[in-house]
Amino acid sequence: MTAQALAGALADERRRVVFAAIVLGARDVPAVVARTGLPARDAATAVRRLTDAGVLTDDDNAGLRVDADRLREFARAAAAAPAAPTADPRQTILRTFLRDGALTRLPAQRGRRRVLLEHITERTFEPGLRYPERAVDDALRPWCEGGEADHVTLRRYLVDDLLLTREHGVYWRTGP
C-alpha cells in the first residue's frame, strides 16, 4: 500500500466513518449500518473499497477487521522513505499569480505581493538604467494582459515598495 492508496481509501467521509465503526468493533455490514446510520448500500460500498485497498480484511471467523499488519507496513515504508523536498514558497507564489508570463491578479497579502513585484522588477528593468514613464508603462503592459491588474496599479506598487524610484517622470530600479 502506498501513501496515495491509503489517502485515497480514507479520502471519503463515509469510508472514514465505516473504518472507525470497524475499529470500534463492528464486524459485518449490518453492524456498520447500525453504528454509523449510513444506508446499507453506502456502508457495503465503503467496506468493499476499504477491503480492495487493503485497509480492511474480511475473515470468515472474525468478520471485518482493520488489517493492522498492512498499516504497520505502510508506516514503516513511509518512515523509511526520504522526505519529499519542500516546495520553494517563492515559486509557489509565482505559479499562483502568473500564467504564461502574465499577471493574473495582484495578491492582497503584502508579502506575496512583494515576491511577485520583485520578480517583475528583476525581469523588466535593468539596474542603473533610467526609463521615461511611457517606457515603464510599455514594459509593464505585457505583464497585465488578460489579468485583473492594470499597468498603472502595477507601476504604483513598484514605486510604493521602493523597487522603482520616480523623479520628474523618470524611473529607475532601486530594489533587489
Side-chain angles (χ1 to χ4, degrees):
M1 178 186 322
T2 65
Q4 269 185 321
L6 181 62
L10 297 173
D12 181 73
E13 177 68 22
R14 289 172 297 216
R15 289 192 295 259
R16 285 193 304 274
V17 168
V18 167
F19 180 82
I22 293 168
V23 166
L24 295 173
R27 294 292 170 239
D28 57 19
V29 173
V32 169
V33 169
R35 280 190 185 245
T36 63
L38 289 173
R41 182 177 181 175
D42 290 351
T45 300
V47 165
R48 181 178 44 79
R49 290 194 176 159
L50 290 169
T51 304
D52 290 349
V55 177
L56 300 179
T57 60
D58 189 3
D59 295 337
D60 291 332
N61 298 334
L64 294 170
R65 65 178 178 80
V66 173
D67 190 341
D69 294 333
R70 288 288 300 261
L71 290 178
R72 265 195 237 56
E73 287 173 23
F74 168 74
R76 284 188 193 114
T86 56
D88 177 13
R90 180 177 163 91
Q91 290 304 314
T92 302
I93 291 167
L94 295 176
R95 276 194 310 272
T96 302
F97 295 100
L98 293 175
R99 290 287 182 264
D100 300 322
L103 186 60
T104 57
R105 68 184 190 283
L106 283 167
Q109 190 177 20
R110 193 176 198 304
R112 289 180 178 183
R113 189 171 55 238
R114 177 67 185 209
V115 167
L116 194 61
L117 293 173
E118 286 175 0
H119 175 81
I120 291 170
T121 302
E122 291 165 1
R123 281 159 181 70
T124 308
F125 302 104
E126 292 294 322
L129 289 180
R130 294 187 177 258
Y131 301 88
E133 187 168 304
R134 172 167 264 168
V136 172
D137 288 346
D138 290 343
L140 295 177
R141 275 191 187 96
W143 288 103
C144 300
E145 287 180 10
E148 296 175 13
D150 63 282
H151 68 280
V152 176
T153 303
L154 184 55
R155 185 184 69 217
R156 186 183 70 235
Y157 276 124
L158 291 171
V159 171
D160 289 350
D161 275 31
L162 304 175
L163 295 167
L164 289 182
T165 298
R166 172 182 58 210
E167 188 176 292
H168 305 296
V170 176
Y171 296 76
W172 61 94
R173 181 174 157 184
T174 51

